[in-house]
Amino acid sequence: TTTSVVTPTASPSTAPTATSVVTPPPSPTTGRENNTGNDGSGSDDTDATTTTTLPPTTTSPTATPIQSTRETIIASKLLTITNNSFALLEDTASPQNKAYNWILNNDAYLSLLYPFKTAADNTTSTPTEENEKALTQRYILTLLFFETNEFNTWDVCADLNTNDDVDECENVEEDDTRRFLSQTSECDWYGITCDVDGSIVSIDLSDNGLRNTIPPEIGQLSSLQHLTLRKNRLSSTLPTTIGLLTNLEILNLNSNRIEGPMPTEIGSMTKLQILDVGKNDMDGPMSPEMFTSSNLEYLDLSGNDFVGPLPTEMFTSTINLVFVDLTGNPIGGSIPTELKYLTQLASLEMGSADLTGTLPGEIFQTTDIVTSNRVTSMLETLSLEGNSLNGSLPEELFNVATSLRILDLGINDFTGELSENAGNLLQLEQLLLWYNNFDGSIPSTLGSLTLLEIMSLDNNQFNGTMPPEVCNLVTSASNSGGGDAGSLIFLASDCKDDDEEDNMPFVECSCCHSCQ
């Protein structure tokens, strides 16, 4: 039998730090070492006579090393969480080993729930369900800490032992009790929220310097509803065990460095309402499993490399979508007319997505997929900037999508005259049509858009004079035309007078802020 000697790290809350030796029981299945890795996969090719040694508990320096009942209980439980991987718990370089050692040797709070009993005692200690929950939760949170704070990069509420600098922790009176690895309930640790039963329901460690990967053991937090780790430096791929979080409602990993495809196991998360993995390095197809939750309302996949086409399930299962941002993904192809079935859609952003073809008027004719009845369009934001869309704009855009507040069609290949019906978009605040091939005169009906703040019509083929009705929208502070005070704070058109380009279309504009 191989033995290992470990000297536990000193802690203000830990009693003795004597060296100890413990020989663990064999694997509950084969007695052979399991070489499973972080991803839960591995091989079982170790010789049958090989046994492993786990980190020790503290014993008297003069006593014969014995295995404690407490250690047996804890080791057995943690092995089930870590996919029965003796190798991970034994590897002193692994975060699993560090978390195990801390739980066993430094967690005075948990010691109250798991009293130290040796095999020589006549009494036994069977953990209650609450105690088992505390052990599971503290181990997973401690593992998350050791995995993501390898280089002491946490900004706030790291433990006092691993970080040299004492950082602030929420600026509360007794802020040390909020720190990770503090001797208080894990429900009191920074960013952790529990329900009345003491189950973790929310983890929010946004913008806190987390690095490395999300440990697969996080899938064992079965009551978790909100997981928010945005604005960190998490990398590698998402663990497939994330699909075990079947109660999850919010998954927000925006602005990290996560790679690879979306695990298909995400299809098991049928309660998901918010899925935000924007601004990462993920790739692969937009799989149907991303669109299985009928509760999904907010979807942000922007700034990744997901490829199209958009799966049919997006228009049949996730029909309650309110916000969709696919900007910066090479989706390709044309805009699917089935978008009309997203009757609750308020914001659609698909800029720089390699889209081609025309802007179909059908997407504004929102239709109940069950009854086939037309319903009022809820669309407030439409951003298709930076694609290769062409043709004229459909009249449905101006006659049906009257709730629009932001319309961004810049940097495309649209042609034709701008419809007089553009004046129907009375809620419009931003109209961005720059860098297209629109021609003709600028319609005076745009002067009806009294809420308009930004209008960019430059780098087109417009000609004539900027209508006075439009100039009247310009704020009095910048209105050189002397019109009434309005809301328009930025107006751009092709009004630059260049004698060398006499053949270029030219817009006379005395109230423009920018002339191209």
Side-chain angles (χ1 to χ4, degrees), residues 413-442:
D413 296 316
F414 289 115
T415 58
E417 296 186 3
L418 186 57
S419 172
E420 293 281 341
N421 290 326
N424 294 335
L425 304 179
L426 298 178
Q427 304 302 313
L428 205 62
E429 298 173 5
Q430 296 183 27
L431 177 60
L432 306 175
L433 302 179
W434 63 324
Y435 281 95
N436 277 284
N437 291 299
F438 293 113
D439 56 28
S441 60
I442 297 172

PDB file of all heavy atoms in Angstrom, residues 413-442:
ATOM      1  N   ASP A 413     -26.118  46.963 -48.501  1.00  0.00           N
ATOM      2  CA  ASP A 413     -26.227  47.321 -49.920  1.00  0.00           C
ATOM      3  C   ASP A 413     -27.672  47.643 -50.297  1.00  0.00           C
ATOM      4  O   ASP A 413     -28.111  47.376 -51.422  1.00  0.00           O
ATOM      5  CB  ASP A 413     -25.705  46.178 -50.803  1.00  0.00           C
ATOM      6  CG  ASP A 413     -24.227  45.919 -50.586  1.00  0.00           C
ATOM      7  OD1 ASP A 413     -23.462  46.895 -50.513  1.00  0.00           O
ATOM      8  OD2 ASP A 413     -23.835  44.737 -50.482  1.00  0.00           O
ATOM      9  N   PHE A 414     -28.441  48.202 -49.360  1.00  0.00           N
ATOM     10  CA  PHE A 414     -29.828  48.548 -49.653  1.00  0.00           C
ATOM     11  C   PHE A 414     -29.895  49.637 -50.713  1.00  0.00           C
ATOM     12  O   PHE A 414     -29.021  50.516 -50.788  1.00  0.00           O
ATOM     13  CB  PHE A 414     -30.544  49.017 -48.386  1.00  0.00           C
ATOM     14  CG  PHE A 414     -30.816  47.914 -47.395  1.00  0.00           C
ATOM     15  CD1 PHE A 414     -30.198  47.915 -46.152  1.00  0.00           C
ATOM     16  CD2 PHE A 414     -31.682  46.878 -47.707  1.00  0.00           C
ATOM     17  CE1 PHE A 414     -30.447  46.912 -45.236  1.00  0.00           C
ATOM     18  CE2 PHE A 414     -31.937  45.862 -46.794  1.00  0.00           C
ATOM     19  CZ  PHE A 414     -31.315  45.870 -45.561  1.00  0.00           C
ATOM     20  N   THR A 415     -30.941  49.588 -51.516  1.00  0.00           N
ATOM     21  CA  THR A 415     -31.117  50.537 -52.620  1.00  0.00           C
ATOM     22  C   THR A 415     -32.528  51.112 -52.584  1.00  0.00           C
ATOM     23  O   THR A 415     -33.356  50.750 -51.762  1.00  0.00           O
ATOM     24  CB  THR A 415     -30.869  49.843 -53.963  1.00  0.00           C
ATOM     25  OG1 THR A 415     -31.771  48.730 -54.081  1.00  0.00           O
ATOM     26  CG2 THR A 415     -29.442  49.339 -54.088  1.00  0.00           C
ATOM     27  N   GLY A 416     -32.787  52.013 -53.527  1.00  0.00           N
ATOM     28  CA  GLY A 416     -34.121  52.581 -53.670  1.00  0.00           C
ATOM     29  C   GLY A 416     -34.315  53.832 -52.837  1.00  0.00           C
ATOM     30  O   GLY A 416     -33.440  54.270 -52.091  1.00  0.00           O
ATOM     31  N   GLU A 417     -35.516  54.409 -52.982  1.00  0.00           N
ATOM     32  CA  GLU A 417     -35.852  55.603 -52.232  1.00  0.00           C
ATOM     33  C   GLU A 417     -36.380  55.234 -50.844  1.00  0.00           C
ATOM     34  O   GLU A 417     -36.953  54.163 -50.654  1.00  0.00           O
ATOM     35  CB  GLU A 417     -36.910  56.420 -52.984  1.00  0.00           C
ATOM     36  CG  GLU A 417     -36.422  56.949 -54.324  1.00  0.00           C
ATOM     37  CD  GLU A 417     -37.424  57.880 -54.978  1.00  0.00           C
ATOM     38  OE1 GLU A 417     -38.476  58.165 -54.350  1.00  0.00           O
ATOM     39  OE2 GLU A 417     -37.173  58.330 -56.110  1.00  0.00           O
ATOM     40  N   LEU A 418     -36.172  56.134 -49.914  1.00  0.00           N
ATOM     41  CA  LEU A 418     -36.690  55.941 -48.562  1.00  0.00           C
ATOM     42  C   LEU A 418     -38.166  56.316 -48.556  1.00  0.00           C
ATOM     43  O   LEU A 418     -38.547  57.432 -48.945  1.00  0.00           O
ATOM     44  CB  LEU A 418     -35.909  56.816 -47.585  1.00  0.00           C
ATOM     45  CG  LEU A 418     -36.211  56.633 -46.098  1.00  0.00           C
ATOM     46  CD1 LEU A 418     -35.982  55.185 -45.664  1.00  0.00           C
ATOM     47  CD2 LEU A 418     -35.347  57.577 -45.265  1.00  0.00           C
ATOM     48  N   SER A 419     -39.005  55.401 -48.125  1.00  0.00           N
ATOM     49  CA  SER A 419     -40.455  55.562 -48.201  1.00  0.00           C
ATOM     50  C   SER A 419     -40.952  56.730 -47.354  1.00  0.00           C
ATOM     51  O   SER A 419     -40.436  57.005 -46.270  1.00  0.00           O
ATOM     52  CB  SER A 419     -41.143  54.268 -47.744  1.00  0.00           C
ATOM     53  OG  SER A 419     -42.535  54.447 -47.635  1.00  0.00           O
ATOM     54  N   GLU A 420     -41.988  57.399 -47.898  1.00  0.00           N
ATOM     55  CA  GLU A 420     -42.658  58.450 -47.120  1.00  0.00           C
ATOM     56  C   GLU A 420     -43.248  57.880 -45.838  1.00  0.00           C
ATOM     57  O   GLU A 420     -43.416  58.593 -44.843  1.00  0.00           O
ATOM     58  CB  GLU A 420     -43.765  59.091 -47.966  1.00  0.00           C
ATOM     59  CG  GLU A 420     -43.282  59.878 -49.170  1.00  0.00           C
ATOM     60  CD  GLU A 420     -42.773  61.255 -48.783  1.00  0.00           C
ATOM     61  OE1 GLU A 420     -43.117  61.721 -47.675  1.00  0.00           O
ATOM     62  OE2 GLU A 420     -42.027  61.859 -49.576  1.00  0.00           O
ATOM     63  N   ASN A 421     -43.547  56.585 -45.835  1.00  0.00           N
ATOM     64  CA  ASN A 421     -44.151  55.952 -44.660  1.00  0.00           C
ATOM     65  C   ASN A 421     -43.165  55.801 -43.504  1.00  0.00           C
ATOM     66  O   ASN A 421     -43.559  55.364 -42.415  1.00  0.00           O
ATOM     67  CB  ASN A 421     -44.713  54.582 -45.032  1.00  0.00           C
ATOM     68  CG  ASN A 421     -45.942  54.693 -45.918  1.00  0.00           C
ATOM     69  OD1 ASN A 421     -46.733  55.634 -45.777  1.00  0.00           O
ATOM     70  ND2 ASN A 421     -46.093  53.767 -46.845  1.00  0.00           N
ATOM     71  N   ALA A 422     -41.888  56.156 -43.715  1.00  0.00           N
ATOM     72  CA  ALA A 422     -40.934  56.140 -42.612  1.00  0.00           C
ATOM     73  C   ALA A 422     -41.391  57.070 -41.494  1.00  0.00           C
ATOM     74  O   ALA A 422     -41.010  56.908 -40.332  1.00  0.00           O
ATOM     75  CB  ALA A 422     -39.547  56.541 -43.102  1.00  0.00           C
ATOM     76  N   GLY A 423     -42.234  58.030 -41.850  1.00  0.00           N
ATOM     77  CA  GLY A 423     -42.774  58.935 -40.842  1.00  0.00           C
ATOM     78  C   GLY A 423     -43.752  58.277 -39.888  1.00  0.00           C
ATOM     79  O   GLY A 423     -44.189  58.902 -38.911  1.00  0.00           O
ATOM     80  N   ASN A 424     -44.112  57.004 -40.141  1.00  0.00           N
ATOM     81  CA  ASN A 424     -45.017  56.282 -39.238  1.00  0.00           C
ATOM     82  C   ASN A 424     -44.313  55.765 -37.987  1.00  0.00           C
ATOM     83  O   ASN A 424     -44.968  55.363 -37.022  1.00  0.00           O
ATOM     84  CB  ASN A 424     -45.659  55.092 -39.954  1.00  0.00           C
ATOM     85  CG  ASN A 424     -46.589  55.527 -41.060  1.00  0.00           C
ATOM     86  OD1 ASN A 424     -47.124  56.642 -41.034  1.00  0.00           O
ATOM     87  ND2 ASN A 424     -46.773  54.662 -42.051  1.00  0.00           N
ATOM     88  N   LEU A 425     -42.988  55.759 -38.013  1.00  0.00           N
ATOM     89  CA  LEU A 425     -42.230  55.196 -36.888  1.00  0.00           C
ATOM     90  C   LEU A 425     -42.078  56.258 -35.796  1.00  0.00           C
ATOM     91  O   LEU A 425     -40.984  56.753 -35.501  1.00  0.00           O
ATOM     92  CB  LEU A 425     -40.863  54.705 -37.364  1.00  0.00           C
ATOM     93  CG  LEU A 425     -40.885  53.675 -38.502  1.00  0.00           C
ATOM     94  CD1 LEU A 425     -39.456  53.278 -38.891  1.00  0.00           C
ATOM     95  CD2 LEU A 425     -41.694  52.448 -38.101  1.00  0.00           C
ATOM     96  N   LEU A 426     -43.193  56.599 -35.176  1.00  0.00           N
ATOM     97  CA  LEU A 426     -43.248  57.733 -34.259  1.00  0.00           C
ATOM     98  C   LEU A 426     -42.461  57.515 -32.973  1.00  0.00           C
ATOM     99  O   LEU A 426     -42.182  58.481 -32.257  1.00  0.00           O
ATOM    100  CB  LEU A 426     -44.711  58.051 -33.921  1.00  0.00           C
ATOM    101  CG  LEU A 426     -45.576  58.472 -35.121  1.00  0.00           C
ATOM    102  CD1 LEU A 426     -47.020  58.718 -34.673  1.00  0.00           C
ATOM    103  CD2 LEU A 426     -45.004  59.714 -35.800  1.00  0.00           C
ATOM    104  N   GLN A 427     -42.115  56.277 -32.655  1.00  0.00           N
ATOM    105  CA  GLN A 427     -41.348  56.004 -31.437  1.00  0.00           C
ATOM    106  C   GLN A 427     -39.845  55.983 -31.690  1.00  0.00           C
ATOM    107  O   GLN A 427     -39.058  55.796 -30.767  1.00  0.00           O
ATOM    108  CB  GLN A 427     -41.770  54.645 -30.845  1.00  0.00           C
ATOM    109  CG  GLN A 427     -43.256  54.500 -30.559  1.00  0.00           C
ATOM    110  CD  GLN A 427     -43.749  55.563 -29.605  1.00  0.00           C
ATOM    111  OE1 GLN A 427     -43.123  55.823 -28.564  1.00  0.00           O
ATOM    112  NE2 GLN A 427     -44.866  56.190 -29.938  1.00  0.00           N
ATOM    113  N   LEU A 428     -39.443  56.222 -32.940  1.00  0.00           N
ATOM    114  CA  LEU A 428     -38.048  56.051 -33.319  1.00  0.00           C
ATOM    115  C   LEU A 428     -37.147  57.087 -32.642  1.00  0.00           C
ATOM    116  O   LEU A 428     -37.432  58.291 -32.639  1.00  0.00           O
ATOM    117  CB  LEU A 428     -37.908  56.154 -34.834  1.00  0.00           C
ATOM    118  CG  LEU A 428     -36.703  55.447 -35.456  1.00  0.00           C
ATOM    119  CD1 LEU A 428     -36.764  53.951 -35.194  1.00  0.00           C
ATOM    120  CD2 LEU A 428     -36.654  55.718 -36.968  1.00  0.00           C
ATOM    121  N   GLU A 429     -36.029  56.598 -32.096  1.00  0.00           N
ATOM    122  CA  GLU A 429     -35.033  57.446 -31.454  1.00  0.00           C
ATOM    123  C   GLU A 429     -33.713  57.454 -32.222  1.00  0.00           C
ATOM    124  O   GLU A 429     -32.966  58.439 -32.159  1.00  0.00           O
ATOM    125  CB  GLU A 429     -34.779  56.970 -30.021  1.00  0.00           C
ATOM    126  CG  GLU A 429     -36.014  57.048 -29.127  1.00  0.00           C
ATOM    127  CD  GLU A 429     -35.790  56.424 -27.759  1.00  0.00           C
ATOM    128  OE1 GLU A 429     -34.635  56.021 -27.477  1.00  0.00           O
ATOM    129  OE2 GLU A 429     -36.751  56.330 -26.990  1.00  0.00           O
ATOM    130  N   GLN A 430     -33.422  56.354 -32.933  1.00  0.00           N
ATOM    131  CA  GLN A 430     -32.193  56.280 -33.720  1.00  0.00           C
ATOM    132  C   GLN A 430     -32.508  55.689 -35.090  1.00  0.00           C
ATOM    133  O   GLN A 430     -33.111  54.611 -35.179  1.00  0.00           O
ATOM    134  CB  GLN A 430     -31.138  55.409 -33.019  1.00  0.00           C
ATOM    135  CG  GLN A 430     -30.662  55.950 -31.692  1.00  0.00           C
ATOM    136  CD  GLN A 430     -29.572  55.091 -31.074  1.00  0.00           C
ATOM    137  OE1 GLN A 430     -28.829  54.419 -31.778  1.00  0.00           O
ATOM    138  NE2 GLN A 430     -29.475  55.115 -29.750  1.00  0.00           N
ATOM    139  N   LEU A 431     -32.098  56.385 -36.153  1.00  0.00           N
ATOM    140  CA  LEU A 431     -32.261  55.909 -37.525  1.00  0.00           C
ATOM    141  C   LEU A 431     -30.886  55.942 -38.184  1.00  0.00           C
ATOM    142  O   LEU A 431     -30.337  57.000 -38.466  1.00  0.00           O
ATOM    143  CB  LEU A 431     -33.244  56.799 -38.289  1.00  0.00           C
ATOM    144  CG  LEU A 431     -33.447  56.454 -39.767  1.00  0.00           C
ATOM    145  CD1 LEU A 431     -33.990  55.032 -39.932  1.00  0.00           C
ATOM    146  CD2 LEU A 431     -34.381  57.470 -40.437  1.00  0.00           C
ATOM    147  N   LEU A 432     -30.330  54.761 -38.416  1.00  0.00           N
ATOM    148  CA  LEU A 432     -28.973  54.634 -38.941  1.00  0.00           C
ATOM    149  C   LEU A 432     -29.036  53.913 -40.288  1.00  0.00           C
ATOM    150  O   LEU A 432     -29.225  52.697 -40.354  1.00  0.00           O
ATOM    151  CB  LEU A 432     -28.093  53.859 -37.959  1.00  0.00           C
ATOM    152  CG  LEU A 432     -28.066  54.416 -36.526  1.00  0.00           C
ATOM    153  CD1 LEU A 432     -27.271  53.501 -35.605  1.00  0.00           C
ATOM    154  CD2 LEU A 432     -27.489  55.820 -36.495  1.00  0.00           C
ATOM    155  N   LEU A 433     -28.872  54.695 -41.357  1.00  0.00           N
ATOM    156  CA  LEU A 433     -28.935  54.143 -42.718  1.00  0.00           C
ATOM    157  C   LEU A 433     -27.643  54.414 -43.487  1.00  0.00           C
ATOM    158  O   LEU A 433     -27.604  54.264 -44.716  1.00  0.00           O
ATOM    159  CB  LEU A 433     -30.117  54.763 -43.480  1.00  0.00           C
ATOM    160  CG  LEU A 433     -31.508  54.580 -42.860  1.00  0.00           C
ATOM    161  CD1 LEU A 433     -32.564  55.266 -43.717  1.00  0.00           C
ATOM    162  CD2 LEU A 433     -31.843  53.107 -42.683  1.00  0.00           C
ATOM    163  N   TRP A 434     -26.587  54.777 -42.823  1.00  0.00           N
ATOM    164  CA  TRP A 434     -25.347  55.176 -43.479  1.00  0.00           C
ATOM    165  C   TRP A 434     -24.698  54.020 -44.238  1.00  0.00           C
ATOM    166  O   TRP A 434     -24.942  52.852 -43.956  1.00  0.00           O
ATOM    167  CB  TRP A 434     -24.381  55.782 -42.458  1.00  0.00           C
ATOM    168  CG  TRP A 434     -23.923  54.832 -41.370  1.00  0.00           C
ATOM    169  CD1 TRP A 434     -24.632  53.851 -40.758  1.00  0.00           C
ATOM    170  CD2 TRP A 434     -22.626  54.813 -40.784  1.00  0.00           C
ATOM    171  NE1 TRP A 434     -23.871  53.198 -39.820  1.00  0.00           N
ATOM    172  CE2 TRP A 434     -22.632  53.771 -39.807  1.00  0.00           C
ATOM    173  CE3 TRP A 434     -21.471  55.554 -40.970  1.00  0.00           C
ATOM    174  CZ2 TRP A 434     -21.506  53.465 -39.048  1.00  0.00           C
ATOM    175  CZ3 TRP A 434     -20.353  55.249 -40.197  1.00  0.00           C
ATOM    176  CH2 TRP A 434     -20.381  54.210 -39.249  1.00  0.00           C
ATOM    177  N   TYR A 435     -23.883  54.369 -45.208  1.00  0.00           N
ATOM    178  CA  TYR A 435     -23.159  53.397 -46.035  1.00  0.00           C
ATOM    179  C   TYR A 435     -24.090  52.367 -46.681  1.00  0.00           C
ATOM    180  O   TYR A 435     -23.988  51.168 -46.483  1.00  0.00           O
ATOM    181  CB  TYR A 435     -22.061  52.700 -45.229  1.00  0.00           C
ATOM    182  CG  TYR A 435     -20.805  53.533 -45.071  1.00  0.00           C
ATOM    183  CD1 TYR A 435     -20.609  54.307 -43.937  1.00  0.00           C
ATOM    184  CD2 TYR A 435     -19.832  53.552 -46.073  1.00  0.00           C
ATOM    185  CE1 TYR A 435     -19.472  55.099 -43.789  1.00  0.00           C
ATOM    186  CE2 TYR A 435     -18.694  54.332 -45.939  1.00  0.00           C
ATOM    187  CZ  TYR A 435     -18.515  55.103 -44.801  1.00  0.00           C
ATOM    188  OH  TYR A 435     -17.381  55.884 -44.661  1.00  0.00           O
ATOM    189  N   ASN A 436     -25.045  52.876 -47.471  1.00  0.00           N
ATOM    190  CA  ASN A 436     -25.882  52.049 -48.319  1.00  0.00           C
ATOM    191  C   ASN A 436     -25.932  52.713 -49.693  1.00  0.00           C
ATOM    192  O   ASN A 436     -25.062  53.526 -50.036  1.00  0.00           O
ATOM    193  CB  ASN A 436     -27.281  51.893 -47.715  1.00  0.00           C
ATOM    194  CG  ASN A 436     -27.340  50.801 -46.654  1.00  0.00           C
ATOM    195  OD1 ASN A 436     -27.349  49.615 -46.960  1.00  0.00           O
ATOM    196  ND2 ASN A 436     -27.363  51.212 -45.387  1.00  0.00           N
ATOM    197  N   ASN A 437     -26.945  52.395 -50.479  1.00  0.00           N
ATOM    198  CA  ASN A 437     -27.092  52.992 -51.813  1.00  0.00           C
ATOM    199  C   ASN A 437     -28.491  53.568 -52.003  1.00  0.00           C
ATOM    200  O   ASN A 437     -29.051  53.525 -53.102  1.00  0.00           O
ATOM    201  CB  ASN A 437     -26.798  51.947 -52.901  1.00  0.00           C
ATOM    202  CG  ASN A 437     -25.327  51.562 -52.940  1.00  0.00           C
ATOM    203  OD1 ASN A 437     -24.454  52.398 -53.181  1.00  0.00           O
ATOM    204  ND2 ASN A 437     -25.043  50.291 -52.695  1.00  0.00           N
ATOM    205  N   PHE A 438     -29.053  54.094 -50.924  1.00  0.00           N
ATOM    206  CA  PHE A 438     -30.344  54.767 -51.043  1.00  0.00           C
ATOM    207  C   PHE A 438     -30.197  56.004 -51.925  1.00  0.00           C
ATOM    208  O   PHE A 438     -29.155  56.670 -51.919  1.00  0.00           O
ATOM    209  CB  PHE A 438     -30.866  55.184 -49.667  1.00  0.00           C
ATOM    210  CG  PHE A 438     -31.224  54.023 -48.771  1.00  0.00           C
ATOM    211  CD1 PHE A 438     -30.482  53.762 -47.629  1.00  0.00           C
ATOM    212  CD2 PHE A 438     -32.305  53.208 -49.071  1.00  0.00           C
ATOM    213  CE1 PHE A 438     -30.809  52.700 -46.808  1.00  0.00           C
ATOM    214  CE2 PHE A 438     -32.639  52.140 -48.248  1.00  0.00           C
ATOM    215  CZ  PHE A 438     -31.889  51.876 -47.115  1.00  0.00           C
ATOM    216  N   ASP A 439     -31.265  56.317 -52.674  1.00  0.00           N
ATOM    217  CA  ASP A 439     -31.216  57.487 -53.539  1.00  0.00           C
ATOM    218  C   ASP A 439     -32.504  58.293 -53.413  1.00  0.00           C
ATOM    219  O   ASP A 439     -33.354  58.007 -52.581  1.00  0.00           O
ATOM    220  CB  ASP A 439     -30.955  57.077 -55.001  1.00  0.00           C
ATOM    221  CG  ASP A 439     -31.978  56.082 -55.525  1.00  0.00           C
ATOM    222  OD1 ASP A 439     -33.133  56.084 -55.036  1.00  0.00           O
ATOM    223  OD2 ASP A 439     -31.644  55.289 -56.427  1.00  0.00           O
ATOM    224  N   GLY A 440     -32.621  59.311 -54.260  1.00  0.00           N
ATOM    225  CA  GLY A 440     -33.798  60.170 -54.211  1.00  0.00           C
ATOM    226  C   GLY A 440     -33.696  61.220 -53.113  1.00  0.00           C
ATOM    227  O   GLY A 440     -32.653  61.412 -52.493  1.00  0.00           O
ATOM    228  N   SER A 441     -34.809  61.888 -52.876  1.00  0.00           N
ATOM    229  CA  SER A 441     -34.832  62.939 -51.871  1.00  0.00           C
ATOM    230  C   SER A 441     -35.161  62.364 -50.494  1.00  0.00           C
ATOM    231  O   SER A 441     -35.726  61.278 -50.367  1.00  0.00           O
ATOM    232  CB  SER A 441     -35.868  64.005 -52.244  1.00  0.00           C
ATOM    233  OG  SER A 441     -37.161  63.420 -52.332  1.00  0.00           O
ATOM    234  N   ILE A 442     -34.774  63.108 -49.486  1.00  0.00           N
ATOM    235  CA  ILE A 442     -35.058  62.712 -48.100  1.00  0.00           C
ATOM    236  C   ILE A 442     -36.495  63.108 -47.782  1.00  0.00           C
ATOM    237  O   ILE A 442     -36.867  64.280 -47.916  1.00  0.00           O
ATOM    238  CB  ILE A 442     -34.077  63.392 -47.141  1.00  0.00           C
ATOM    239  CG1 ILE A 442     -32.639  62.927 -47.449  1.00  0.00           C
ATOM    240  CG2 ILE A 442     -34.438  63.099 -45.695  1.00  0.00           C
ATOM    241  CD1 ILE A 442     -31.571  63.686 -46.697  1.00  0.00           C
TER     242      ILE A 442
END
